[in-house]
Amino acid sequence: GQAEEVEALVQHWLLSAVSFYDTAAHSPPERFYHGFVLGLLVDLSGSHLVTSNRESGYGRCDVLLTPRKPGSPGVALELKVPDKRRDQTVKQALEAAHSQIRERDYAAALRAAGASPIHSLALVFDGKEVHVSAA
């Protein structure tokens, strides 16, 4: 739930481990970042079920961290890359991610698993920069 701390950590990992060429245009653009984030989270598999693109609510959340023990925190992550063709800003991409989390009720699977509290985070990647905000 600490968006600023998450942002600082992911930014550090991007700068220390990722090449400019890794973040070049991909199809879809989020694919590289999605794999990168999953790789960072795999170590949590002892305490959480880490799932990618699984149904929750009315859609598929990019990444869900579902606690293996009810009463433990759960996290829904929505990842975005600003749509440069539409001149989308980082702020607009963050807003779109939060809107998607709310409207599609990505927290549904976390509630069903007894997660408490539930954190929703939007991560917007712009090259080697990351911006994170909590809903």
Side-chain angles (χ1 to χ4, degrees):
Q2 299 171 335
E4 290 177 9
E5 186 174 338
V6 171
E7 181 176 295
L9 288 170
V10 174
Q11 183 68 67
H12 170 76
W13 291 321
L14 277 172
L15 289 174
S16 64
V18 174
S19 164
F20 166 80
Y21 294 103
D22 294 330
T23 64
H26 290 277
S27 177
E30 290 95 3
R31 185 170 288 157
F32 169 79
Y33 300 109
H34 193 110
F36 178 74
V37 168
L38 283 174
L40 294 174
L41 298 174
V42 73
D43 194 44
L44 297 176
S45 61
S47 62
H48 288 75
L49 180 60
V50 180
T51 54
S52 170
N53 289 312
R54 295 279 172 87
E55 279 194 37
S56 182
Y58 301 98
R60 290 189 319 264
C61 187
D62 283 329
V63 180
L64 284 174
L65 299 173
T66 307
R68 295 188 184 277
K69 179 181 165 191
S72 296
V75 183
L77 301 174
E78 185 59 29
L79 314 177
K80 296 281 185 204
V81 172
D83 187 342
K84 301 292 186 186
R85 294 171 296 155
R86 295 193 172 115
D87 292 324
Q88 186 180 42
T89 66
V90 167
K91 182 179 178 184
Q92 290 169 327
L94 285 167
E95 290 170 358
H98 285 302
S99 182
Q100 188 172 333
I101 291 168
R102 279 190 312 276
E103 291 171 8
R104 297 184 184 171
D105 191 22
Y106 288 159
L110 299 174
R111 285 193 305 275
S116 181
I118 294 173
H119 303 285
S120 298
L121 295 174
L123 288 81
V124 172
F125 295 90
D126 190 12
K128 289 176 69 171
E129 291 184 19
V130 63
H131 305 270
V132 180
S133 69

